[in-house]
Amino acid sequence: MIDGFNIYRGVGSVDRIDWETPVGFTAEGTTEVLLAGQQLAPGTSYFYALRAGNQEGLEESGRSAVACVEVDAQEQLLLPPLARCCELTVRWQRDGTILLGFSHPVPPGYAAAEVLEVFSDGGTGQMNLETPLATAANLAASTADLEVAILPPALPIQLFVRARRGQRTGPLSAPITVTARQISPAIVLPIG
């Protein structure tokens, strides 16, 4: 009979979890567990996962939960990390704005963003990370693909997207460069 959870750990990514060597065990119904002797270095991500099992070695093959743990230089726990936004696309609109499309996947162990911020170089080549050009807020936890309308201040311009939750920010996306305005020609349909 399976009556608890084996705890496993990986360094750097979920893919590096060592499923051969549990680092702990917790009984069913336990909501917290203290893992003593775990060395945590600042700047490194540690992924912990659970598999239902028992101390006799019977165990499920999937994973029940994944958490990412990071500490700062004072070895204080940080909020879960935010994933990098990706798949940036732009579409020009007839009113001169562009629709910036992007994805924000939330892999296991990562937190969902509260706000997604769009930054630009303003056409100068110098990134401005102080004032977002646009934001998307009040996101559903399952939100992965979004679009934000932007009036570009200058061309050419580079755009970046970053996730934020409280004071924690994710890494900047790869840039997308917007050059000359490109609008699809109007379609003329003959009448009659």
Side-chain angles (χ1 to χ4, degrees):
M1 173 179 210
I2 294 180
D3 58 5
F5 295 94
N6 288 320
I7 304 167
Y8 296 90
R9 175 175 126 148
V11 179
S13 76
V14 172
D15 297 335
R16 293 190 175 165
I17 292 175
D18 177 2
W19 296 108
E20 301 297 319
T21 312
V23 295
F25 179 84
T26 183
E28 186 175 1
T30 303
T31 58
E32 292 182 5
V33 62
L34 176 63
L35 295 173
Q38 298 293 303
Q39 299 296 319
L40 303 176
T44 302
S45 298
Y46 299 90
F47 289 84
Y48 290 87
L50 303 177
R51 277 188 174 165
N54 64 22
Q55 292 175 329
E56 287 77 38
L58 295 176
E59 182 178 76
E60 70 174 355
S61 61
R63 59 179 178 236
S64 298
V66 175
C68 181
V69 176
E70 295 177 340
V71 295
D72 62 15
Q74 290 76 39
E75 297 185 2
Q76 297 299 308
L77 283 176
L78 298 171
L79 294 172
L82 297 153
R84 180 184 310 270
C85 294
C86 58
E87 300 175 3
L88 276 65
T89 60
V90 292
R91 277 186 307 153
W92 280 100
Q93 302 298 295
R94 296 206 179 279
D95 63 1
T97 62
I98 58 170
L99 283 181
L100 173 65
F102 53 92
S103 294
H104 181 252
V106 182
Y110 284 76
E114 291 175 333
V115 176
L116 296 168
E117 302 170 314
V118 178
F119 295 98
S120 80
D121 67 356
T124 67
Q126 297 295 321
M127 177 60 59
N128 173 1
L129 292 177
E130 298 299 318
T131 308
L133 194 57
T135 60
N138 301 321
L139 307 171
S142 61
T143 301
D145 297 318
L146 296 131
E147 284 187 324
V148 176
I150 298 169
L151 181 60
L155 292 177
I157 189 172
Q158 285 193 325
L159 300 173
F160 303 79
V161 182
R162 179 176 73 184
R164 175 181 292 281
R165 183 174 190 89
Q167 296 302 310
R168 184 89 191 245
T169 58
L172 286 173
S173 68
I176 189 167
T177 301
V178 182
T179 55
R181 183 175 171 178
Q182 300 171 357
I183 297 179
S184 300
I187 297 173
V188 178
L189 299 174
I191 299 178

